[in-house]
Amino acid sequence: GLMTRLTSLLLQSNRITGTIPTEIGYWKDIKFFNVDENSLIGTIPTEVANLKNLEYFDAYDNDLSGTIPAEISLMTKLEVID
């Protein structure tokens, strides 16, 4: 399934490769998303802005490229982005 009721995803330091999937936008209840210290590539998908309950987003120390999507500035509950 799409894990639509997920509230926390903590996968830091797990040697994960690939990209942050666009399906992240379906995780409406997620508050904490941490994938720091992995080997993720690509960009932060604009679908992250669909996560209206997101408070903490950490994708530090990966191989991501591009800019942070401007739509993230509309996320009123987001306190930390790293």
Side-chain angles (χ1 to χ4, degrees), residues 17-75:
T17 60
T19 61
I20 299 173
T22 57
E23 289 83 5
I24 191 174
Y26 293 119
W27 302 344
K28 305 291 185 191
D29 292 331
I30 199 162
K31 293 182 180 183
F32 302 98
F33 180 83
N34 186 342
V35 291
D36 72 341
E37 298 182 9
N38 284 292
S39 297
L40 296 172
I41 60 171
T43 61
I44 298 172
T46 57
E47 288 82 0
V48 167
N50 294 338
L51 308 178
K52 303 303 181 197
N53 292 312
L54 189 65
E55 298 173 12
Y56 182 92
F57 180 90
D58 189 350
Y60 175 77
D61 201 13
N62 280 284
D63 294 316
L64 296 171
S65 59
T67 59
I68 296 172
E71 295 86 352
I72 288 179
S73 67
L74 302 174
M75 299 172 67

